[in-house]
Amino acid sequence: MIIFVSNVHGQQDSIYSHEYLDKSTRFAWLTYGGDLNFLSGGTTQQLVNGIKQTTNFGNTLMPRLTIGGIHFWGHTDFYVTIPLSFLTLQDIPNGLDKLEVHQGVETGFRLYPTKLQPQKLSPFLGISFRRFRYSQQSESNTNENGVPSFGRFTYPIQFGLTYTSDKWHISSSGYYNYQNEFNYFISPSETGLVELNPLSFNLSILRYIDSDRYMRTPKAVARINKNYEILKKENLLSSWFIGIGPSAALQISKSPFLKENFPFFHDDYSAAVLPDISFGRYFHQIDANANLTYRTYRDKHQGFDSKIQTRRHSIGIESVKFLFNYLGFVPFAGPILSYEKLNTSVNGTDYYDDKLALGITFGWDIRVTHTGTSLLRTNLRYYPNLNMEIEGEKMMFNHLEFNFIQWVQFIGRKNTLRKEKNK
């Protein structure tokens, strides 16, 4: 491995060959677009005159936005989808005033045994992880804060086909969700069984862009090698950078505080979308980053006559080492030390805790050469056992933060290369 890494870095730090650039720029390309997610119905229970009664409910149709990247020369697809909840169509049965069968932000992986190519039909298998949320409210409900939600992290298996044109991927797929039964609190002290149809279906249309194709021409190869020498001369191979992108905070552990005091919130899976902002410096000689990062998010649990809100602010110092460069795919890992400002509001009473926390950061860059003025980065962060104590019990904040796409801009490189080009 040491010899392999040394050889790769040796190749990258000298002259970029046409062969290397031709192969590495075909490694990955960007996709974006939308899909329609069709969730099959199921059965639930509700209280009618104090007696449990089984009720059937129908389908859910949810449009979503998708952004992702095809990797390994058309053999894998990493993506994230964001639901457009305000456009969801839900069939609500008699006896219920409200019904929510919601699948949140989904991150997934698809494997194509035969690679994606224009005018070809390619089968795939995959798996995804996403937040599932369910709630129901009977017509006779009089609770001030409505009803609680049930939430969980699901891992459905995917299967389907993708047709590739010159610009588009059109996919039809099915999901099988084996986590299709759970108990839902229909009163503060009583639960009802909810059973979901394990099969759901999806139709997506995505635009794909090969943004690095310009780097394959002989003229571009010469320009890239010249840019490398310019940046080396101007000491800009090591440079400051800024980064920004959306991230998701996904619950890892349930909170003992909720189990002890609010059992009807204990199964409400916590997840949030948050901004991920970074500022730091890249060190070329050791191929490493050191940077500041800021993230913040809020979440809430409400139902029956209770309401709990949480808020987290995190300012961290992290340092990561890039492990190797496989044709532009550059994974990294390292520690992060952060100042955490945690807050939980329980029915109007606020609890605060400020502390230092140690976590781990890992992810990857898409970095074909060291001459780029920007790049795309994926960050994942995890803080084991991060929590605050409330009345002797733990409220957990140890979420997995998954920043699928972060735009990173190197400061000073673009102006320097533009000036040299205009001479």
Side-chain angles (χ1 to χ4, degrees), residues 186-205:
I186 53 180
S187 77
S189 59
E190 193 168 5
T191 62
L193 178 64
V194 179
E195 296 182 88
L196 304 172
N197 189 319
L199 289 175
S200 59
F201 304 94
N202 182 274
L203 177 66
S204 67
I205 302 177

Side-chain angles (χ1 to χ4, degrees), residues 125-377:
L125 289 173
I127 190 169
S128 62
F129 56 94
R130 59 192 178 189
R131 179 190 184 187
F132 169 79
R133 187 173 70 246
Y134 176 91
S135 66
Q136 65 182 55
Q137 180 171 307
S138 65
E139 294 175 347
S140 60
N141 176 74
T142 58
N143 296 296
E144 180 182 351
N145 288 303
V147 292
S149 293
F150 172 90
R152 67 165 36 152
F153 207 26
T154 63
Y155 311 87
I157 298 169
Q158 295 185 56
F159 50 91
L161 294 169
T162 296
Y163 175 75
T164 302
S165 72
D166 292 333
K167 296 181 179 180
W168 304 88
H169 294 311
I170 302 172
S171 299
S172 177
S173 63
Y175 292 87
Y176 179 79
N177 178 26
Y178 54 90
Q179 302 162 284
N180 61 339
E181 293 185 7
F182 56 89
N183 291 314
Y184 176 77
F185 276 89
I186 53 180
S187 77
S189 59
E190 193 168 5
T191 62
L193 178 64
V194 179
E195 296 182 88
L196 304 172
N197 189 319
L199 289 175
S200 59
F201 304 94
N202 182 274
L203 177 66
S204 67
I205 302 177
L206 304 177
R207 178 78 161 88
Y208 69 90
I209 300 177
D210 182 2
S211 59
D212 293 330
R213 61 187 181 275
Y214 74 95
M215 298 172 66
R216 300 173 194 143
T217 66
K219 183 178 180 180
V221 173
R223 167 59 62 182
I224 289 168
N225 283 298
K226 182 178 180 181
N227 288 346
Y228 182 90
E229 295 301 327
I230 292 171
L231 295 176
K232 182 178 180 180
K233 178 183 176 182
E234 298 295 329
N235 295 319
L236 282 174
L237 291 175
S238 296
S239 60
W240 297 97
F241 65 84
I242 56 174
I244 187 168
S247 187
L250 308 172
Q251 177 178 304
I252 298 298
S253 302
K254 294 183 179 181
S255 296
F257 171 75
L258 295 180
K259 183 177 183 180
E260 182 67 25
N261 298 280
F262 302 91
F264 43 86
F265 289 152
H266 187 240
D267 287 326
D268 185 3
Y269 179 85
S270 176
V273 177
L274 59 144
D276 184 346
I277 304 171
S278 297
F279 172 75
R281 186 166 180 81
Y282 169 68
F283 298 93
H284 175 71
Q285 287 79 5
I286 59 174
D287 203 18
N289 284 347
N291 61 274
L292 293 171
T293 178
Y294 172 73
R295 291 97 58 224
T296 182
Y297 68 84
R298 69 174 72 222
D299 201 3
K300 66 179 178 180
H301 310 274
Q302 65 181 46
F304 301 130
D305 291 320
S306 297
K307 184 176 182 179
I308 297 176
Q309 295 177 294
T310 58
R311 185 67 188 266
R312 176 189 176 200
H313 294 277
S314 179
I315 301 175
I317 301 174
E318 64 185 0
S319 177
V320 301
K321 177 71 175 69
F322 294 96
L323 305 179
F324 57 84
N325 185 338
Y326 181 68
L327 297 173
F329 179 77
V330 192
F332 59 79
I336 177 170
L337 177 66
S338 64
Y339 170 74
E340 300 289 335
K341 189 173 183 63
L342 309 177
N343 166 238
T344 300
S345 176
V346 182
N347 291 327
T349 301
D350 287 313
Y351 300 87
Y352 298 94
D353 193 3
D354 297 351
K355 60 175 60 178
L356 293 177
L358 183 64
I360 56 175
T361 300
F362 53 101
W364 61 87
D365 281 4
I366 300 300
R367 186 184 70 195
V368 176
T369 75
H370 283 286
T371 63
T373 60
S374 63
L375 55 79
L376 296 179
R377 174 171 296 160

Side-chain angles (χ1 to χ4, degrees), residues 401-419:
E401 299 174 41
F402 190 176
N403 169 221
F404 186 74
I405 295 290
Q406 185 182 50
W407 177 266
V408 176
Q409 182 73 41
F410 293 101
I411 301 172
R413 286 187 181 181
K414 180 179 287 188
N415 288 337
T416 297
L417 295 176
R418 184 185 294 119
K419 289 177 183 178

